[in-house]
Structure formats: structure tokens, C-alpha cells
């Protein structure tokens, strides 16, 4: 029997999800089949995340389950890909004796070789980081058909003191602008309607002097019925040129994920974030002036070492000033090997938790208020399919990345643009009535029946 069935599970950020598609592309080229059933697979891969301790604990838990499959069938190969592979390297194989294969983010081209080694009873380890690998020429295997992640750069050179990414993903490097444009052309031919350009810090994109604004503008021009999104922007490098580019193209979404992390300048300095709150707020103002209606989301860490109650209040204060549409909020988690790891993690767990819950409550209230203000307004949605709860409703996303639900109607399916009128809202979801089918600009579609 051919041992060519691979099962892969993905954890962590969107870049990891994009990498999984690259991995599947590489394996399919070598004759592997992708299966959705771990029982049925010869090779089980977990593409992992190291960002916080709880992310890693979850994966250890999962590995514990998967080992049971291996007890039943010892010929199965279990492998770790991604950031944990890079961070823990041979520990996973030697100390923890948990897996047969450990392959970091820059060694996926050699994954088929490592799998062969593992089948031959050796341990496959590939954890070298590269200064040049971008998988530029690999065609990712995508099943979705509507919305695609595209990595446009890899790695990070920012070295925020709390963060493992520069160690797990290596130095910054960008793909060529042409290869990204070609990829969007292919997506357009296949009927995709949305592409999200990804990088840990997309504003540092640089292809021989062509910057991220140049890339966005080229990407938006490929097919004006495809929505283009991007993430993540670092507040230090978000240029006015980029803001004007977003304002200029209808299909560049008016939504910026701009992690602030903390509202206190002292903590920002300790984090090596390289901006002040004044700079950050000025950037938000400029963006709102240049791109009317732009929405923002952010990341916040509570309980960074030495954070005082006053620092925490400063974070709440910034949230109130900016009024984010959404936020990802975390408790600080010390990561070995980072600079902050050397500072004592001195905010007690219960204080971290209390501050985090205040941050979450405030954000919920703000999101609720912002969404309430949308009642009575019209929005254009890209329809993604039935709502999670019922096939009587369809779900889609606004340009500003909010989920909206409306009653299903004949002739309207995934991939259509529709105009709805909002009639109800919670902090996380908008509800509305269907007005009509439209194009991406909101012009009614003329029926040609
Ligand atoms: N490149 C992105 C963030 C990538 S990690 C950026 O710079 O904004 C996603 C988020 O995880 C970070 O923004 C941060 O809020 C959070 N994070 C990273 N390391 C963390 C840690 N050690 N403890 C808690 N949260 C962390
Ligand atoms: Fe981590 Fe900072 Fe790089 Fe983001 S910018 S990936 S938080 S080091
Ligand atoms: Fe996690 Fe690695 Fe992404 S640590 S957040 S999977 S870059």
C-alpha cells in the first residue's frame, strides 16, 4: 500500500494557514493526497504556534491524543511544523520523544525528504532559517474558492521584546511584486473574490525599492471585483503614501489592523515598539482624515513586566480615544529567549487577569456602541455562505471586516456582493435586510435573464 495520505492541522496566525497551503502544494506535487481524517492518514502534521505558552500547551495536548493513533498503527509518521518546530527543535524529538519529524517554516521544500527519512525509521529534522526563502514559485493548494491568504513577506526584524516571531521566522524578506500580482491573476481566473496580503509587518515590504503601497496598488488593479485586505501593519512604518493608496482604490478595504499593545509610553519603550502613543494617535487621525470611514482593530497585551495600574489605565484611555472596531487581547506570556524574558514577570496572575477582563469589557462596550450606530445604514457585503446557526440566513462581511447576517434569498450565493440595510446589531455581528444584488461598488446588478 502506498503511504501517501497526509493529514494536517493548523494553529496560530494567518501566516501559518497560508504556509499550510504551501506545504500542501509541495506535498501534492510529490504525489501525496490530502485527507481530512487523521485515522486514515499515513502522515499527520501539526503546523504549530509558539506565540504564547497556552498556544504550545494546546499542541502538547493534541499530540497526546494523536500518539494514541500511533499506538494503534506504529507506521504512522507524526510531525511538527511551524514556529514550535523552530523554537523547540530537537527537544521535541529527543527530550519529549513525541514526534518523528520537526520541520521549521523555512524548510518546507525539503519536507518530502524528511518524511521519507521518518518512514525509514530515522528522525527528520529541518530547522534552518533562511534569508531568502519566500516560496515564491510554489503554487499553494487552496480549497476555499472565495477568499485567499497570500504571504507577501516572511520573517520579522522588529524584535519587540516580548515576541518569539523574529526567532521562529527569521529575518524579513519580501516576495517579488510580480509573483504576487500573478498569484492574484490566477485567483481572479478561478473566481476568488477576496485576497488578504500577509506579513508580520507588511509595511516593511520591499522589492527592490517597490514598497507596500506600490504592491497594494498593483494588487488592487489586477481585478477590481476582488477585495484586497492586508495584515499586519506596524504603527512605526505606516506611511501617508499607503493611506492615500487605500483611499484611492475602491477594492482596497477600509480596514487597518494596527496593534497598539499598550497605552503607556514607558511600557511601549520596554516592549521596543519604537513609537509613542502620541505618534500612534496622530497616525489614527491622519488615517481617518485620508480614508473617511476607515475602521481599526488592534492587539493589546495586559500585564507586561513592570506594568502599573497607571499604565493599565493609559491602555484603557487609548482604547477610548481610538474606539477600535475590534481587538485581540492577551495576557502577557513570558517567552524564553526573548529580551523581556530577562525582566521579572512581576505582575501577578490575578492582576493580569483582572486587567485583561477590564480591557475586554471596555472593548465589547465600544464595539457594541459602534455597531448600534450602524443601525439604519446601508452596507455592501461579500456573501460567504450560510450563517453558522441557520441555513435560513446568509452571512457576509462588510468592507470594514464586520460579519453581517441577512435572510437567505433565492439566487444569492457565496461570492455575490449584496447591499443590505442594518436593522439590529450586537458587539460582534450586524443583522440586516437584503436590499439588492450589487457589484463591489454598490451599483445594482442589471438582470440579463
Ligand atoms: N506582527 C504583529 C503581531 C504578531 S503576534 C504585530 O507586530 O503587530 C500577534 C499578537 O500576539 C501581538 O500583536 C501581541 O499582541 C501578541 N503577543 C505576542 N507575543 C506575546 C506574548 N509573549 N505574550 C502575550 N501576547 C503576545
Ligand atoms: Fe513580533 Fe513585534 Fe515582529 Fe510583530 S513586529 S511579529 S510583535 S517582533
Ligand atoms: Fe504563532 Fe508563529 Fe504566527 S508563533 S502567531 S504561528 S508567526
Amino acid at each position: 500500500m502506498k503511504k501517501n495520505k497526509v493529514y494536517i492541522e493548523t494553529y496560530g496566525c494567518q501566516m501559518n494557514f497560508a504556509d499550510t497551503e504551501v506545504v500542501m502544494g509541495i506535498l501534492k506535487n510529490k504525489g501525496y493526497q490530502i485527507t481530512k481524517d487523521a485515522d486514515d492518514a499515513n502522515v499527520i502534521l501539526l503546523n504549530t504556534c509558539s506565540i504564547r505558552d497556552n498556544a504550545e500547551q494546546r499542541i502538547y495536548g493534541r499530540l497526546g491524543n494523536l500518539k494514541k493513533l500511533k499506538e494503534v498503527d506504529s507506521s504512522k509518521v507524526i510531525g511538527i511544523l511551524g514556529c514550535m518546530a523552530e523554537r523547540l527543535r530537537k527537544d521535541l524529538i529527543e527530550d519529549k520523544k513525541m514526534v518523528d519529524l520537526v520541520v521549521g517554516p523555512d524548510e518546507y521544500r525539503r519536507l518530502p525528504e524528511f518524511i521519507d527519512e521518518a518512514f525509514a525509521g530515522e528522525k527528520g529534522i529541518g530547522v534552518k532559517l533562511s534569508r531568502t526563502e519566500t516560496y515564491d514559485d510554489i503554487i499553494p493548494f487552496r480549497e476555499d474558492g472565495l477568499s485567499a491568504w497570500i504571504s507577501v513577506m516572511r520573517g520579522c526584524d522588529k524584535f519587540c521584546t516580548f515576541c518569539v516571531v523574529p526567532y521562529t521566522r527569521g529575518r524579513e524578506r519580501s516576495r517579488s511584486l510580480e509573483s504576487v500580482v500573478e498569484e492574484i491573476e490566477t485567483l481572479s481566473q478561478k473566481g476568488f473574490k477576496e485576497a488578504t496580503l500577509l506579513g508580520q509587518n507588511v509595511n516593511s515590504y520591499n522589492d527592490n525599492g517597490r514598497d507596500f503601497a506600490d504592491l497594494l496598488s498593483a494588487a488592487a488593479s489586477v481585478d477590481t471585483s476582488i477585495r484586497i485586505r492586508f495584515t499586519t501593519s506596524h504603527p512605526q512604518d505606516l506611511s501617508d503614501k499607503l493611506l492615500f493608496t487605500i483611499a484611492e482604490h475602491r477594492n482596497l478595504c477600509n480596514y487597518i489592523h494596527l496593534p497598539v499593545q499598550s497605552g503607556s509610553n514607558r511600557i511601549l519603550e520596554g516592549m521596543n515598539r519604537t513609537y509613542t502613543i502620541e505618534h500612534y494617535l496622530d497616525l489614527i487621525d491622519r488615517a481617518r482624515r485620508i480614508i473617511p470611514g476607515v475602521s481599526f482593530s488592534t492587539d493589546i497585551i495586559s500585564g507586561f513586566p513592570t506594568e502599573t495600574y497607571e499604565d493599565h489605565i493609559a491602555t484603557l484611555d487609548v482604547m477610548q480615544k481610538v474606539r477600535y472596531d475590534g481587538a485581540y487581547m492577551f495576557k502577557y506570556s513570558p517567552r524564553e529567549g526573548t529580551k523581556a524574558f530577562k525582566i521579572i514577570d512581576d505582575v501577578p496572575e490575578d492582576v493580569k487577569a483582572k486587567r485583561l477582563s477590564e480591557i475586554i469589557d471596555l472593548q465589547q462596550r465600544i464595539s457594541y456602541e459602534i455597531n448600534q450606530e450602524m443601525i439604519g445604514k446601508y452596507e455592501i457585503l461579500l456573501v460567504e455562505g450560510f450563517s453558522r446557526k441557520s441555513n435560513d440566513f446568509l452571512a457576509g462581511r462588510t468592507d470594514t471586516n464586520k460579519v453581517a447576517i441577512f435572510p437567505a434569498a433565492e439566487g444569492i450565493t457565496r461570492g455575490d456582493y449584496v447591499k443590505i440595510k442594518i436593522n439590529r446589531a450586537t458587539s460582534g455581528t450586524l443583522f440586516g435586510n437584503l436590499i439588492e444584488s450589487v457589484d463591489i461598488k454598490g451599483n445594482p446588478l442589471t438582470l440579463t435573464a
Side-chain angles (χ1 to χ4, degrees):
M1 196 187 70
K2 264 180 95 184
K3 290 182 179 171
N4 66 346
K5 286 195 182 158
V6 180
Y7 169 84
I8 176 161
E9 249 171 48
T10 311
Y11 298 81
C13 63
Q14 289 145 353
M15 264 148 283
N16 246 19
F17 283 80
D19 277 3
T20 290
E21 295 177 341
V22 167
V23 165
M24 292 196 289
I26 291 170
L27 292 175
K28 279 193 84 99
N29 276 341
K30 290 279 173 186
Y32 280 94
Q33 285 175 26
I34 311 296
T35 167
K36 291 194 187 319
D37 179 5
D39 287 310
D40 185 40
N42 312 107
V43 182
I44 298 176
L45 301 173
L46 302 185
N47 192 2
T48 61
C49 174
S50 285
I51 201 81
R52 284 166 292 273
D53 185 55
N54 57 11
E56 291 194 349
Q57 293 312 324
R58 219 175 126 205
I59 288 159
Y60 284 128
R62 184 67 179 126
L63 271 178
N65 289 333
L66 290 172
K67 279 197 83 168
K68 292 191 191 120
L69 292 178
K70 197 164 160 114
E71 281 159 21
V72 178
D73 173 2
S74 65
S75 75
K76 278 193 203 299
V77 163
I78 298 187
I80 294 283
L81 312 181
C83 291
M84 249 174 111
E86 199 57 52
R87 199 177 85 77
L88 299 165
R89 305 179 166 215
K90 57 183 183 352
D91 291 5
L92 282 166
I93 284 187
E94 286 172 6
D95 303 354
K96 308 238 192 278
K97 303 215 179 336
M98 294 193 98
V99 295
D100 310 299
L101 193 76
V102 174
V103 183
D106 286 347
E107 292 251 56
Y108 296 148
R109 277 179 205 272
R110 294 179 59 206
L111 184 58
E113 270 173 61
F114 294 124
I115 293 177
D116 287 344
E117 284 174 21
F119 276 133
E122 293 162 43
K123 301 286 182 184
I125 305 188
V127 289
K128 278 204 209 77
L129 288 171
S130 158
R131 288 188 172 261
T132 51
E133 179 63 272
T134 59
Y135 302 110
D136 222 348
D137 55 316
I138 307 273
I139 301 169
F141 174 69
R142 296 193 168 102
E143 291 171 298
D144 171 298
L146 180 73
S147 183
W149 309 114
I150 306 180
S151 277
V152 301
M153 58 175 304
R154 302 181 69 83
C156 183
D157 288 352
K158 288 280 183 220
F159 289 94
C160 303
T161 56
F162 51 79
C163 183
V164 292
V165 173
Y167 308 96
T168 62
R169 296 260 164 182
R171 298 288 60 75
E172 266 172 25
R173 66 217 98 118
S174 301
R175 272 176 72 172
S176 75
L177 185 143
E178 286 74 19
S179 77
V180 176
V181 165
E182 270 168 37
E183 199 166 335
I184 299 173
E185 280 165 358
T186 311
L187 293 171
S188 158
Q189 283 153 15
K190 291 189 171 158
F192 277 73
K193 287 289 163 52
E194 187 177 67
T196 305
L197 309 189
L198 300 175
Q200 288 297 354
N201 174 15
V202 285
N203 307 132
S204 299
Y205 177 87
N206 181 350
D207 174 26
N208 292 311
R210 292 178 294 183
D211 64 14
F212 189 61
D214 298 328
L215 177 69
L216 268 186
S217 151
S221 307
V222 172
D223 176 346
T224 53
S225 75
I226 292 186
R227 277 182 175 176
I228 307 283
R229 301 185 182 279
F230 59 94
T231 197
T232 297
S233 304
H234 190 289
Q236 192 203 352
D237 316 316
L238 191 80
S239 67
D240 280 3
K241 178 179 171 190
L242 182 62
L243 298 174
F244 281 112
T245 305
I246 299 170
E248 202 177 300
H249 294 268
R250 189 70 179 243
N251 59 330
L252 288 181
C253 289
N254 292 344
Y255 166 68
I256 305 177
H257 181 61
L258 198 64
V260 66
Q261 313 297 1
S262 166
S264 151
N265 282 334
R266 190 181 64 83
I267 295 293
L268 287 174
E269 202 180 332
M271 290 175 162
N272 188 33
R273 286 293 287 183
T274 69
Y275 52 84
T276 60
I277 278 303
E278 292 72 26
H279 170 92
Y280 184 93
L281 291 173
D282 177 56
L283 189 54
I284 297 271
D285 278 348
R286 286 206 321 265
R288 287 196 163 132
R289 245 180 290 131
I290 296 171
I291 316 167
V294 65
S295 78
F296 291 98
S297 61
T298 199
D299 293 346
I300 294 172
I301 297 178
S302 89
F304 184 80
T306 80
E307 186 188 78
T308 61
Y309 181 70
E310 284 69 36
D311 295 322
H312 167 61
I313 295 297
T315 298
L316 298 176
D317 186 48
V318 165
M319 293 171 70
Q320 255 151 343
K321 283 195 175 120
V322 177
R323 294 179 64 77
Y324 295 103
D325 284 75
Y328 301 89
M329 299 156 285
F330 314 101
K331 270 190 281 185
Y332 170 68
S333 167
R335 310 309 287 137
E336 203 175 347
T338 61
K339 256 198 166 160
F341 192 74
K342 299 193 191 105
I343 321 173
I344 303 168
D345 179 20
D346 60 354
V347 180
E349 186 56 31
D350 59 331
V351 176
K352 269 188 204 169
K354 182 160 185 292
R355 289 181 189 167
L356 179 64
S357 82
E358 286 175 19
I359 289 169
I360 293 173
D361 289 349
L362 174 59
Q363 183 53 46
Q364 276 230 321
R365 205 179 77 214
I366 293 171
S367 297
Y368 180 78
E369 287 169 5
I370 292 177
N371 287 352
Q372 289 298 307
E373 285 160 19
M374 292 183 68
I375 292 174
K377 297 202 171 130
Y378 296 92
E379 281 289 330
I380 298 162
L381 308 182
L382 172 59
V383 178
E384 295 180 354
F386 289 117
S387 86
R388 260 185 295 152
K389 289 188 186 148
S390 156
N391 285 2
D392 296 334
F393 292 87
L394 289 166
R397 250 169 230 275
T398 66
D399 178 70
T400 54
N401 210 28
K402 290 174 190 287
V403 175
I405 310 276
F406 63 97
E410 210 167 310
I412 293 181
T413 53
R414 185 176 151 83
D416 292 344
Y417 287 103
V418 296
K419 186 181 202 173
I420 66 163
K421 186 176 185 188
I422 313 294
N423 55 30
R424 187 162 76 82
T426 65
S427 64
T429 314
L430 304 172
F431 299 85
N433 303 325
L434 176 66
I435 302 296
E436 59 195 346
S437 284
V438 291
D439 65 12
I440 190 173
K441 295 183 186 148
N443 300 320
L445 294 185
T446 40
L447 294 174
T448 52

